[in-house]
Amino acid sequence: MSRLYQVSFNKQHGGYNRRYRHTSKELGCEMVFTVYFPPVANASKVPVVFYLSGLTCNDENFITKAGAQKYASELGVALIAPDTSPRGLGIDGESQSWDFGVGAGFYVNATEEKWKNWRMYDYISKELPSLLQEDTEFQDKLDMTRVSIMGHSMGGHGALVIALRNSSAFKSISAFSPICNPSRVPWGIKAFTGYLGEDQESWKQYDASELLRSLQGASLPLLVDVGSADSFLVGSVNQLRPEALEEAAKAIAYPLELRIQEGYDHSYYFISTFIEDHLRFHAKHLFAAALGRSSHRLLVGREGGEEREGKGGGNAEKEERRGGGEKRKSKGGGRGSNIGSNNESDNESDNENDNESDSGGHVKDIIYASVL
């Protein structure tokens, strides 16, 4: 196992953000990642939510901008934020483009020789979880049998693909503005051609919409939020294609909840507005898994409203979540309206649009969970 170094730490909401550095065998370079430990991790193991970031980002974007720690502290879940690619390898052209190379690993295992170190799929699905499970720094704090995963944009794509291909390792999936059908959009075509070569059949293993069409394995609860004003959805090209994911989910009655949030864009203003809802969604399923093994009680209810108690390993009664926008559940019902366009040119960055400010529409009716 590679040696682990703590780079920095900051206290927040009673817990700690701790940033670590280690040498990755999969990637052949040093990598950093950040863990938020909620206060309860000092006394007992806590479940884990991975967050995969988008193009141009590293592990710090989510940690510093999403505001997730407040809710992770309350719920008693740890947050794991990895980097988005290998760094410092000196590969010719690795930093020439914001949507390929450094900061743009696309969560694949590259097969093209030049990019052989770009193995973010195995790093996220195998190497990093093994480190978190085996290193003494984490053994008494993180419960790696209760893990969920989420992500944004390219990271939403990564979360979908990794969880769909490794369903036994996760309890739930969620995504903000994911690239749902990368083999059909310019971002994905560029990345897949560069990392995987011209064989488009090999691309399908990293395309969530294609994976759903041939899914074998458990159906994990899946929540997806997309902003109706996202420039990568309604701009000159639809880079996200959530309609493809919705269509694939409906074909097999997969439990997808796709929500179009009116007026929101692609930025961390959007993410910070709905991060509470996503973490409570994951906590519900993470703690339900624990209840199957214990006599603890699960509280389910509305914010500011009446609480109801569920016991044992059964499913708690569901509340409707409203995000201020259109909600579509893909469980084999009628088809929702198409969204976005299929034009093919865009040259904007996937990083946060910090000059835009969001307002209104915060979730009030949500599901929450806690272990008593």
Side-chain angles (χ1 to χ4, degrees):
M1 186 191 310
S2 61
R3 188 171 179 183
L4 187 76
Y5 300 88
Q6 182 173 281
V7 177
S8 62
F9 68 93
N10 301 94
K11 189 171 185 178
Q12 189 174 16
H13 293 291
Y16 283 90
N17 300 298
R18 297 187 182 275
R19 199 176 194 214
Y20 299 96
R21 182 183 302 275
H22 74 113
T23 300
S24 167
K25 293 181 180 179
E26 284 290 344
L27 307 179
C29 65
E30 286 197 334
M31 293 293 287
V32 293
F33 63 93
T34 298
V35 181
Y36 176 73
F37 296 97
V40 71
N42 291 325
S44 62
K45 287 187 175 183
V46 296
V48 170
V49 178
F50 279 84
Y51 180 94
L52 307 185
S53 287
L55 291 165
T56 77
C57 295
N58 60 22
D59 61 302
E60 293 187 297
N61 295 77
F62 171 72
I63 291 296
T64 60
K65 294 187 176 185
Q69 292 90 335
K70 175 181 178 181
Y71 309 110
S73 174
E74 174 191 338
L75 295 164
V77 298
L79 306 173
I80 313 294
D83 205 347
T84 55
S85 76
R87 296 181 189 266
L89 290 170
I91 306 299
D92 182 42
E94 68 178 15
S95 299
Q96 287 182 356
S97 177
W98 62 269
D99 58 356
F100 186 85
V102 170
F106 260 86
Y107 304 100
V108 303
N109 287 339
T111 54
E112 292 295 288
E113 179 64 22
K114 179 178 179 179
W115 302 102
K116 63 184 179 181
N117 293 86
W118 265 247
R119 297 182 56 81
M120 289 300 293
Y121 176 86
D122 274 2
Y123 177 72
I124 298 297
S125 65
K126 296 179 181 178
E127 184 175 16
L128 186 54
S130 293
L131 175 64
L132 295 170
Q133 184 166 344
E134 296 170 9
D135 195 280
T136 55
E137 174 77 6
F138 311 109
Q139 282 181 344
D140 62 346
K141 295 180 176 68
L142 304 181
D143 183 354
M144 296 303 293
T145 67
R146 291 185 289 156
V147 180
S148 292
I149 191 168
M150 63 191 301
H152 171 230
S153 196
M154 177 188 72
H157 142 74
L160 291 169
V161 167
I162 289 169
L164 290 173
R165 289 178 57 178
N166 301 274
S167 59
S168 63
F170 300 98
K171 304 304 180 186
S172 53
I173 324 166
S174 75
F176 294 96
S177 312
I179 306 170
C180 298
N181 195 191
S183 60
R184 294 282 304 279
V185 302
W187 277 341
I189 292 170
K190 178 179 180 177
F192 288 178
T193 301
Y195 295 135
L196 305 174
E198 300 288 344
D199 180 11
Q200 295 189 14
E201 281 299 309
S202 70
W203 298 2
K204 292 182 178 180
Q205 64 184 311
Y206 299 111
D207 186 314
S209 297
E210 294 291 341
L211 288 171
L212 271 184
R213 293 187 181 103
S214 57
L215 183 68
Q216 295 181 354
S219 295
L220 297 173
L222 171 57
L223 172 65
V224 174
D225 274 330
V226 181
S228 70
D230 191 320
S231 61
F232 302 118
L233 175 71
V234 295
S236 58
V237 61
N238 180 357
Q239 296 273 20
L240 308 181
R241 285 182 55 82
E243 68 275 12
L245 188 71
E246 181 183 40
E247 181 179 354
K250 284 183 175 179
I252 63 168
Y254 191 92
L256 162 67
E257 183 177 354
L258 171 62
R259 309 189 306 185
I260 308 303
Q261 304 293 6
E262 183 63 32
Y264 287 90
D265 58 22
H266 200 75
S267 72
Y268 270 86
Y269 297 116
F270 168 51
I271 295 170
S272 65
T273 301
F274 298 104
I275 190 66
E276 177 182 5
D277 201 18
H278 282 240
L279 288 178
R280 293 191 187 280
F281 166 80
H282 290 303
K284 175 192 172 186
H285 297 290
L286 290 166
F287 286 113
L291 289 170
R293 305 192 302 265
S294 73
S295 60
H296 287 163
R297 297 175 297 162
L298 182 68
L299 286 179
V300 180
R302 293 178 185 266
E303 270 190 332
E306 181 182 356
E307 296 176 350
R308 292 188 306 281
E309 180 181 306
K311 295 185 178 180
N315 292 328
E317 182 178 350
K318 294 182 179 178
E319 291 275 2
E320 182 180 1
R321 287 187 304 275
R322 294 202 304 272
E326 177 187 355
K327 182 180 76 170
R328 299 207 292 268
K329 287 191 177 181
S330 296
K331 294 187 178 180
R335 175 154 176 78
S337 59
N338 289 331
I339 54 180
S341 65
N342 294 315
N343 299 329
E344 292 197 359
S345 69
D346 194 62
N347 196 32
E348 295 186 52
S349 168
D350 190 31
N351 209 352
E352 306 79 41
N353 299 320
D354 287 336
N355 60 327
E356 299 188 20
S357 112
D358 297 337
S359 62
H362 188 33
V363 175
K364 295 299 182 185
D365 295 89
I366 57 179
I367 295 174
Y368 67 95
S370 62
V371 173
L372 300 181

